[in-house]
Each structure stands twice: as C-alpha cells, then as structure tokens.
Amino acid sequence: MNGKATTTRTKLERGRSALGPALELVHTGRAPTRAVLTSELGVTRATAGAVAAELEALGLIRVDSSPGSAAGSQGRPSHRLSVLETGPVVLAAQVHADGFRAALVGLGGRIVATSPGCVAVMADPAQVLGEVVEAGAELLRASGLRCVGAGLAVPSAVAEPEGTALNPLHIAWPAGSPVRDIFAACVRRAGITGPAFTGNDVNLTALAEHRHGAGRGAQHLLCVATGHRGVGGALVLDGRLHSGSSGLALEVGHLTVNPEGRPCHCGGRGCLDVETDPLAFLTTARREPGPEESLLKQAGNLLRTEYGDPAVRQAAEALIDRLGLGLAGLVNILNPDRIILGGLHRDLLEADPERLRAVVADRSLWGRSGSVPILPCTLAHNSLVGAAELAWQPVLDDPLAALA
Amino acid sequence: MNGKATTTRTKLERGRSALGPALELVHTGRAPTRAVLTSELGVTRATAGAVAAELEALGLIRVDSSPGSAAGSQGRPSHRLSVLETGPVVLAAQVHADGFRAALVGLGGRIVATSPGCVAVMADPAQVLGEVVEAGAELLRASGLRCVGAGLAVPSAVAEPEGTALNPLHIAWPAGSPVRDIFAACVRRAGITGPAFTGNDVNLTALAEHRHGAGRGAQHLLCVATGHRGVGGALVLDGRLHSGSSGLALEVGHLTVNPEGRPCHCGGRGCLDVETDPLAFLTTARREPGPEESLLKQAGNLLRTEYGDPAVRQAAEALIDRLGLGLAGLVNILNPDRIILGGLHRDLLEADPERLRAVVADRSLWGRSGSVPILPCTLAHNSLVGAAELAWQPVLDDPLAALA
DNA sequence: CGCAGTTTGTTTAGTTGCGGCACAAACTCA
DNA sequence: TGAGTTTGTGCCGCAACTAAACAAACTGCG
C-alpha cells in the first residue's frame, strides 16, 4: 500500500498541492472552520480561502458564509466547513460470517444508505460479492448520487500486492481466493465508476476508528479485535494503515499468552487466537455453544447478561488476563500511544476495564508504556466505514485527479 | 521522532524543496550520477541540475563534470555525483560494555577518523560522556573540518521525548539517566557546534545498515541484535526509524520463545532475552564464562572455533531454534521484507543459515512471509555510523536550514 | 450608540520552484 | 564522418504559494 515516490508528477496531473490535506482535515472533522484549516495547513488565510473555495467548487465540501450565531470568542466569526451532504459517495461492502452488507458512505464517514444485512453466505466468493455489489448498486440507483469508488472488507488477511484472501476460513471461501480481482470485476460489471479496493476487516476497522472514532488523534494506534473466530490486529501509523510489506502485518493470533494452554494448529500452544476468541470463552465458561446464533453474539450476550455467574466471571477474568498478556507483548514491540479493542475483546474490556489495564501495565516493560490508554471501539459499522475510507483515499490524496 | 506538519513553513525558511531528497539519494549512494538523480527525484533535468549545483555550492557534494571514461552505454555520459571528502562531518560516539569510542563521520557513512576504543567505563554517565566527547573534539581539532552535529549510541532503551536511558544495566549507569541532556551538555561544553542526538544502539545499527549496509533498499527492515547481554530490536519503515510513540518500540527481549524455559525477571518464562544471549549460549554449551573477555566475544569465538564440539553445536542449534521462534513471531506482527541480525545472532545465523531460515519459515504463518530474507549485518562500527545518521538527519531533511 | 480591539475574509502584487521546450554537448555505432 | 542517443543548460511561463494592506464581522466597554 506504499507507492514509491518515483512517479513523475507532471504539472498537468497535480493540482493545488494543499487540496488533499485540506480535504482530509475536513473529512476527519479536524477543520470545522476555515480559520483552523488555515492554522492546521500552516498556510496563509489567502491560500486556505482559495483551497476551500476549490473544494467547494468540486462539490465536496460546504462553506457556510453565514453561520448565523454560535460564536463564543471575539473577532469576526469564521466560516464553517462541512462535508457536502449531496456530494459524491463510495460503495462500501462487508462480508462476514453472519452475512454481507452494502452501504453508501459519504465524506466524513457518514453512512448515507445501507442495505439490510443479508444472512446467506455461500462458499463461492464470486457469487457473494456479486450479490453484495448488486445490493450496493441498487442503493446507488435509488440515491442518484455520484459514486467515486468502492471498498470491501473481508474477514481474512489480504496478501499484497496480489489481493488474495489467505485465510477466509470461517466464511468457507477457498484460501487464496483473488478477492480483490473478483470484487473489482463485480464492481465494473455493475456499472459502478471508480477504482475498487479490498482490505482486511480489522485493518479497516482500525482505519475507520482512527479517522472518525475512538482512535482519533492517536499517532500510533493499535487495534485488536475478535471476530466470530480468531483474533486480528491492525496498526495505524501517522494516519496510514501499516499492513506490512505484503499485507500480512499484525497477524497477532499466534502470540503465546498461556504457556500451559491448549495446542494450536500453528504448532505452538496457548496462542492468543485459541485462548481469547468467542469459542474459548464459551467453553471456559462451560456453556454449550448453540447453533442458532453466531458465537460472537452468544459470547457477548453471556458476558453482558450473566456476569454475576461465577463460572462466567471466572472465564472472563481468565480471558482478560490472557488478552492482557498478548497486548503487553504487542506494546513492547509496537509502543503504541493508544489501543482500541473490538468484538469480544471490547466486551471483555467493558466487563472489567481495570483488570485488563492492570495486566497490560504489569506485563509491559515500563510503567510509562504500560499506561497506554485502552479504549473500546465506538463506531457503528466500523469495518464498513473503513472499507469506504479505502475507496476515499485516492480522493483524499489528490481530489482533482480522482474526480477527473 | 515524528514532528507533526503543523509548523508554518514561511517562504524564507524553506529552500529548494527537492534539496533534502537529493542529498539523501547521494548520501545513500542511490544517485551515482545526475541522470539517475533526475529520474529518482522525478523532476526534470533542469531542476536536478539546479539542485545538484546548489548542493555543490553548499560544500556537501562533488559534481564531476569530466568523468574521463567509465562509460558503458551510449549517449552523453552523465556527471558523477559523490560526497565531498572535505565537506562537513558529524561527531559520532558510542558507549558499550567494553568501553567507548568516538569518531568523525562524513556524508555517505564514511568514517573520517576514529579514536582508539577506550576500555574504562565508569558508573557516572557524565564522566564517560565527557571523556568520549572530548576524544571526539580532539579528532575534530586535528582534522580541521566543520562539524554540523553530534550523535550518541547507548546500549539502552531511550525514552522519548525525555531522552532518558531506561535500562542501561550492563554499563552500570543508573536507570533513568538523562543521557540526551548529559550528552548535549558535554557537546556544548566541548565547543562543538550543531545539535546533539542520542539513540539506542540497536536502533542506530538498523538505521546505519538500512542506509549503507545489508538493509539497503528494504522497505520494512527488521533488525535484531544481541549485545553483551540481552536482545534488542529495531524497525526501519520507509527509511525512517520506527521507535514507537515513546521510543520504546521493538523491545523484543520478552517474547516467549520457550514455554518450558527458565523464568525471567519480567514475570514470564523462556523469554528471548534469557534464551538467546551470550550467557545463555555459554551455559547451554556447558562452558564456564571467563572474566577476561566480554561474554559476547567468548560466545562468538566459541561458536566459530569449536562448532565441531557436539555440546557447542547442540547449544547453537537450541539457540537458533529459539531465535527462529522469536523472529517468526515478529514476522507475524511486523511483516518485514528483510531481517538483519547483529551480535551473537549474526554468528548464529552464519553458523547454520538454513536451520534458522527453516524455523522462521515453519513458524511464521504463511510461506510467503516465511521466505523473508535473513541477512547478517555487514557494516563495521554500525552503531557508530548510525549515531552519525542521527546527527546528519537535519541536514538531510533541510540542508539550507541545517547549515545556516 | 459609537468606538476601540480582535479575529477573519479578500484583494493585489510579488516571489519562486519547477515544468516544458529548444538547443547544445558528449558519447556510441555504423 | 554522420546518424542516433542520452545528458546538460538556458529561457519562458505557469501556478501555487507568501506578504501586505484593507475590508468585514463580531465582542465589549463607556
């Protein structure tokens, strides 16, 4: 995901160079007025004015010249900047064990429309992606908005640069499926304009939370989340997703968190993956997993409704301790300034925040790094919004080129 | 180490914007001629010419208009670019368990002069740093060259932004010593011009190897090295050191690599630190550590000279297996495209490269990432050169401002 | 109400880094 | 020796800024 800067940028292809950063500031809500846009960009008021006017002319943002009231400090009130509601959108799609969902997402992570979540997931990626893209295309036709790209979140590591899903185990797709190409083909077939991108769902969750949720403002954001099975991680460095040299970074499932733990298919024992996922929780709490609901929902419900039950509580504490050990290991390696947790890990954090923080502080090497804030994910549909971020990225990088 | 881009860059303070990247290309040897400088920068020949002329006028590089011969392809031969031998230098200093050393380092990582390594290391950081800086100042006076900064490598994690040494255990300094401030004070007192920087030695080794050694061209470079005691790691992402949000990233010593291993002071057991350092090797090989030499040298010698001895070989293989397990864990988290090993780990790699590569491939999740190249460090005095890189960084970022 | 003080938006002029182009220079090869 | 190829250089112009002066829109005080 890191292009080298060797491509010749001719004068014609590059627009106003501050255009992209300015749009990103409005997009992430860090530039609510033109005055702070000026200071954030580090340019003169004249330049900021020109840039804002150009973004408005492109149909991306709205500049409210007459803010009415809502002052506060003295001096001339600044023009308010906001994302244009009727501006272009991107198609965001998500596939997980429960089914799939499509949505239209505008700038600012605003979900404009969503399809009802569909339950049926088949073993054929082409069929599933065809259906979800068609659902998105239907939303698009109904809305009449312009579409500038598409993004897809899958519960699997996605290898770069091929774009293949390496371990889409719990959605029963064949390992190595070329999901990016399949998705791109579906998008083109549906007549949707703009480029198509595919990414791992936890990575995209981290990206979404960094820009619009609990990760806002973090410089080194670590996100760990349990989906329906297994554990995923993601890292956002200086606003950019760090997915490693081949997209496989932060595959944290096989950190050892319990030397006496159960053996794992990876060859080790006591891996984070098998020790802290929903199935581990249910079995540790001595509950029979029911077939009617996803394991994630069963585990979450159990945690929230029956925390008084000693068996449930003990199981939760055991999982918290192991999760804390895994997080401490990651803290020692990555030294993030914020950690956010999703899925069952989020539920575990909320069940006993102090216990988790204590374990992480105790087992990471220095108290200073041990005091790293640990927060729950806050965004609804975060991996859907993250998929949209992927599709918005070219526009944020160079609005003129992307909309041309 | 990552400043946010919110500082206002007025027109007066910024020079030609391609100046820094151009100097970095010459510095790292990636722009041997003006023609490749043109293509690497992605600018026109006119611009590249102006930039090269300006760097020459600044006294940093040399532009050989008459290359004599050494052609090869057809067309007009390009002007050769090289670092100016009589250009400015930086003062590089290094402190480790064996003693300390000072050097003058020019652009391109060229060591201009070194002090003889001094053995005496006292418990008082101010005294040691005073001596090493004075040795460097002496070199500087003798050379008559201009000094534009100073860098120090210490065998301890250095906390950001305070610049304190958190665990300088095996040089008997008090934990939490403000080494950056002490070093900066010594540098000022010695009358040396330019800013002073301090960093962890493994971090600086990685930086040096990335720019001038075995890490050249790697996009995500992981470096793991054993010093005299304990294990350190470092990560260079896109040419920049990743030291985490508070300088404590890649403290990899407490990855679990042997669930049945000996207990570690960190509270876990079988940590990389206590399982793969020189002392662990000597005791596993059932050798009595002698007092006359450093453990690192004893272990290295033993490995190179007595590999035929079954006890030595078995100890080496045990360490290789555990190192491989640790590296595999790091590969799963960081997904680097190259790994370089220093210290005893380098010796272990060279003793049996195939065994180490096989373990890493076997225990990292996918064969693709398992096939990451593992190489030995190649640079002599690499942490010294790395300390110099730290001092050169402001010049590489903005030559005009740094030399003003 | 009016006036000072403050902050922001706008206009204008001026600077500059760099692309585009044309041409000269320095080589290879036939 | 001349065609072909690649590189260096001078010149023009543009576009993205800065700087500075001014206008606008508020608060607060007398």
Side-chain angles (χ1 to χ4, degrees):
Chain A
M1 284 190 185
N2 265 302
K4 282 203 67 177
T6 51
T7 52
T8 308
R9 299 212 316 171
T10 68
K11 190 168 57 176
L12 290 179
E13 8 181 308
R14 74 164 170 178
R16 200 175 285 266
S17 74
L19 217 54
L23 182 58
E24 185 163 337
L25 286 169
V26 178
H27 173 61
T28 56
R30 281 178 296 164
T33 67
R34 244 193 55 179
V36 314
L37 180 67
T38 303
S39 64
E40 284 291 310
L41 284 178
V43 297
T44 58
R45 290 198 297 269
T47 305
V51 165
E54 196 163 351
L55 287 176
E56 191 177 29
L58 283 170
L60 294 171
I61 72 169
R62 206 153 55 90
V63 183
D64 284 331
S65 314
S66 56
S69 59
S73 68
Q74 52 180 349
R76 173 173 174 175
S78 189
H79 292 181
R80 299 205 74 78
L81 301 179
S82 55
V83 156
L84 185 66
E85 279 84 358
T86 56
V89 294
V90 298
L91 191 157
Q94 179 191 14
V95 176
H96 55 98
D98 280 352
F100 59 79
R101 187 185 286 272
L104 304 183
V105 182
L107 278 174
R110 196 175 45 94
I111 296 183
V112 176
T114 52
S115 75
C118 181
V119 180
V121 164
M122 304 83 175
D124 179 17
Q127 187 178 346
V128 176
L129 295 182
E131 287 191 30
V132 68
V133 168
E134 188 42 53
E138 186 55 43
L139 292 174
L140 203 56
R141 280 189 290 270
S143 74
L145 294 168
R146 178 181 178 191
C147 180
V148 296
L152 167 70
V154 293
S156 160
V158 177
E160 300 283 341
E162 309 89 346
T164 52
L166 285 180
N167 54 351
L169 301 178
H170 47 283
I171 48 177
W173 287 0
S177 298
V179 282
R180 173 185 302 163
D181 292 344
I182 295 174
F183 180 61
C186 292
V187 165
R188 272 198 307 276
R189 200 179 322 121
I192 290 165
T193 53
F197 301 90
T198 300
N200 168 264
D201 57 354
V202 181
N203 275 350
L204 299 182
T205 290
L207 195 58
E209 292 283 344
H210 180 270
R211 298 206 175 152
H212 309 292
R216 231 159 158 155
Q219 203 183 355
H220 302 250
L221 177 70
L222 170 64
C223 174
V224 175
T226 328
H228 297 73
R229 286 300 307 278
V231 176
L235 184 66
V236 179
L237 293 179
D238 298 318
R240 295 273 165 172
L241 205 52
H242 173 80
S243 49
S245 62
S246 48
L248 309 180
L250 273 298
E251 284 298 327
V252 299
H254 298 278
L255 276 174
T256 304
V257 295
N258 182 10
E260 289 94 32
R262 55 200 101 180
C264 172
H265 64 86
C266 78
R269 58 167 59 242
C271 293
L272 189 64
D273 224 354
V274 296
E275 296 281 338
T276 69
D277 79 343
L279 183 60
F281 177 59
L282 291 171
T283 53
T284 308
R286 278 183 243 108
R287 300 297 175 114
E288 196 66 35
E292 69 285 351
E293 269 184 319
S294 77
L295 294 174
L296 178 60
K297 283 186 182 161
Q298 290 178 53
N301 286 337
L302 187 59
L303 199 50
R304 277 186 294 271
T305 59
E306 295 185 49
Y307 199 63
D309 184 326
V312 173
R313 185 177 194 115
Q314 276 177 25
E317 290 180 346
L319 260 72
I320 288 172
D321 290 350
R322 289 165 200 160
L323 173 61
L325 218 55
L327 292 181
L330 290 170
V331 165
N332 287 334
I333 294 171
L334 301 170
N335 188 214
D337 57 357
R338 198 177 306 172
I339 299 175
I340 58 176
L341 300 180
L344 181 64
H345 289 171
R346 179 207 153 121
D347 296 329
L348 288 169
L349 169 67
E350 291 182 328
D352 194 343
E354 283 321 305
R355 188 183 186 96
L356 182 59
R357 294 196 177 109
V359 177
V360 174
D362 185 48
R363 298 304 290 266
S364 54
L365 285 187
W366 294 286
R368 194 169 182 291
S369 48
S371 70
V372 52
I374 307 178
L375 306 172
C377 289
T378 57
L379 235 54
H381 301 301
N382 42 24
S383 68
L384 212 47
V385 174
E389 290 302 319
L390 224 49
W392 275 117
Q393 198 57 56
V395 180
L396 298 176
D397 286 340
D398 190 341
L400 275 181
L403 298 181
Chain B
M1 286 191 182
N2 266 302
K4 284 203 63 176
T6 51
T7 53
T8 309
R9 300 212 315 172
T10 68
K11 188 168 59 175
L12 290 179
E13 20 180 298
R14 73 163 171 178
R16 201 174 283 269
S17 74
L19 217 53
L23 182 58
E24 186 164 336
L25 286 169
V26 178
H27 172 61
T28 55
R30 281 179 294 163
T33 66
R34 246 192 54 180
V36 315
L37 179 67
T38 303
S39 64
E40 284 291 310
L41 284 178
V43 297
T44 59
R45 290 197 298 269
T47 304
V51 165
E54 197 162 351
L55 288 176
E56 190 176 28
L58 284 170
L60 294 171
I61 71 169
R62 208 151 55 88
V63 182
D64 284 332
S65 313
S66 56
S69 58
S73 68
Q74 54 180 349
R76 174 175 174 173
S78 189
H79 292 181
R80 298 203 74 77
L81 302 178
S82 56
V83 157
L84 185 64
E85 279 85 358
T86 57
V89 295
V90 297
L91 191 157
Q94 179 190 14
V95 176
H96 54 98
D98 280 352
F100 58 79
R101 188 186 284 271
L104 303 183
V105 183
L107 279 173
R110 195 174 46 92
I111 296 183
V112 176
T114 53
S115 73
C118 182
V119 180
V121 163
M122 305 84 173
D124 179 18
Q127 188 178 346
V128 176
L129 294 183
E131 287 190 31
V132 69
V133 168
E134 188 43 51
E138 186 54 44
L139 291 175
L140 203 55
R141 280 189 292 270
S143 75
L145 294 169
R146 177 180 179 191
C147 180
V148 296
L152 168 70
V154 292
S156 161
V158 178
E160 302 282 343
E162 308 90 347
T164 53
L166 286 179
N167 54 350
L169 301 177
H170 46 286
I171 48 176
W173 287 1
S177 297
V179 284
R180 174 187 299 163
D181 292 343
I182 296 174
F183 180 62
C186 293
V187 165
R188 272 197 308 275
R189 201 180 320 121
I192 290 166
T193 54
F197 301 90
T198 301
N200 168 264
D201 56 355
V202 180
N203 274 352
L204 298 183
T205 290
L207 194 57
E209 292 283 345
H210 180 269
R211 297 205 176 153
H212 309 292
R216 233 158 157 158
Q219 203 184 354
H220 302 250
L221 177 69
L222 170 64
C223 174
V224 175
T226 329
H228 297 74
R229 287 299 308 279
V231 177
L235 184 65
V236 179
L237 293 179
D238 298 319
R240 296 271 163 173
L241 205 50
H242 173 80
S243 49
S245 62
S246 49
L248 309 180
L250 273 297
E251 284 297 326
V252 299
H254 299 278
L255 278 173
T256 304
V257 295
N258 182 10
E260 288 93 32
R262 54 200 101 179
C264 171
H265 65 85
C266 79
R269 58 165 62 242
C271 293
L272 189 64
D273 224 354
V274 297
E275 297 279 338
T276 68
D277 79 343
L279 183 61
F281 177 59
L282 291 172
T283 53
T284 308
R286 277 183 242 109
R287 300 296 173 117
E288 195 65 34
E292 69 285 351
E293 273 185 317
S294 78
L295 294 175
L296 179 59
K297 281 185 183 163
Q298 290 178 52
N301 286 337
L302 187 60
L303 199 49
R304 276 185 295 268
T305 59
E306 298 186 48
Y307 199 63
D309 183 324
V312 172
R313 184 178 193 113
Q314 276 176 25
E317 289 181 344
L319 260 73
I320 288 172
D321 290 349
R322 289 166 200 161
L323 173 61
L325 217 55
L327 292 181
L330 290 170
V331 165
N332 287 335
I333 295 171
L334 301 170
N335 188 213
D337 57 357
R338 198 178 307 171
I339 299 176
I340 57 175
L341 300 179
L344 181 65
H345 288 172
R346 179 207 154 121
D347 296 329
L348 287 169
L349 169 66
E350 290 182 329
D352 195 342
E354 283 321 305
R355 188 182 185 97
L356 181 60
R357 293 199 177 106
V359 177
V360 174
D362 184 47
R363 298 305 290 267
S364 53
L365 285 187
W366 293 287
R368 191 165 185 293
S369 48
S371 70
V372 52
I374 307 178
L375 306 173
C377 289
T378 57
L379 234 52
H381 302 300
N382 42 25
S383 67
L384 211 48
V385 174
E389 289 303 319
L390 222 49
W392 276 118
Q393 198 58 55
V395 180
L396 297 175
D397 287 340
D398 190 341
L400 274 182
L403 298 180

